[in-house]
Amino acid sequence: MQITDVYLGLGQEAFGQLIRGISIGKLKTYQIYEGFKVRAHLSKVNTELLRKSVPKFWARISEPDEDFAKDLSQAVLVSHLDMITAVLDSLGVPHENGFFAKDMDPKPYFTEGWEDRVHEKFREVFSEPILIFYINHLRWELLGATELYRPAAPSAA
């Protein structure tokens, strides 16, 4: 599985929600604004240009453009560090404001069923697309997953 598979598995509508959730302020704070602007082929990054670029970004993800997909995931994730810290805290994973220490192996903290536990705990706290994206990003980046995580449909009462 590649990072582009994670985006494609979410679908274009959810992908658009991820793009609209990018925080220009966070890109500047974490000094990735300029690099993202170049990789995204934008003259500047603002909410209107991001919104208008969703179809173009989706086409690049569909090619697939893995380098762009990785840079895009960085922009998406730094924009949601509140969710990342909440998820990592709930799993007991040591981190520094949502970032893993360089010499730490976080894999042992991701025990069987962690995805369902995280989804159940946070599905009403954070938007579904970003939560599912982050779960799958962790599975792709840390755990070498070969399939997408898709939460079970809630059962009717």
Side-chain angles (χ1 to χ4, degrees), residues 67-87:
D67 291 332
F68 172 65
K70 289 174 187 174
D71 286 351
L72 183 59
S73 69
Q74 186 179 38
V76 167
L77 293 175
V78 300
S79 299
H80 297 281
L81 284 171
D82 57 333
M83 177 200 63
I84 291 170
T85 58
V87 167

Side-chain angles (χ1 to χ4, degrees), residues 18-131:
L18 293 179
I19 302 306
R20 288 188 296 278
I22 292 174
S23 164
I24 288 88
K26 295 274 179 135
L27 297 181
K28 290 179 178 179
T29 297
Y30 290 95
Q31 300 177 355
I32 59 173
Y33 176 90
E34 287 299 324
F36 176 72
K37 180 178 81 171
V38 169
R39 179 70 77 181
H41 304 159
L42 297 173
S43 58
K44 63 182 175 180
V45 180
N46 62 37
T47 54
E48 183 180 353
L49 281 176
L50 284 173
R51 183 181 51 77
K52 288 180 177 179
S53 297
V54 168
K56 179 176 73 168
F57 290 173
W58 182 254
R60 290 179 66 186
I61 294 298
S62 300
E63 287 176 4
D65 183 339
E66 286 296 322
D67 291 332
F68 172 65
K70 289 174 187 174
D71 286 351
L72 183 59
S73 69
Q74 186 179 38
V76 167
L77 293 175
V78 300
S79 299
H80 297 281
L81 284 171
D82 57 333
M83 177 200 63
I84 291 170
T85 58
V87 167
L88 295 178
D89 286 346
S90 78
L91 293 170
V93 180
H95 63 91
E96 298 164 13
N97 299 317
F99 297 95
F100 300 125
K102 296 278 185 218
D103 57 350
M104 188 198 115
D105 178 14
K107 289 178 190 169
Y109 295 92
F110 295 90
T111 58
E112 176 109 18
W114 71 268
E115 301 96 333
D116 289 331
R117 290 191 304 275
V118 165
H119 182 260
E120 183 59 31
K121 183 171 184 173
F122 294 107
R123 67 189 173 97
E124 293 183 14
V125 178
F126 301 106
S127 82
E128 184 85 358
I130 188 59
L131 184 60

Side-chain angles (χ1 to χ4, degrees), residues 1 136 139-140 144-150:
M1 179 170 77
N136 278 300
R139 295 177 82 245
W140 163 74
T146 58
E147 297 179 0
L148 289 172
Y149 167 75
R150 298 179 196 274

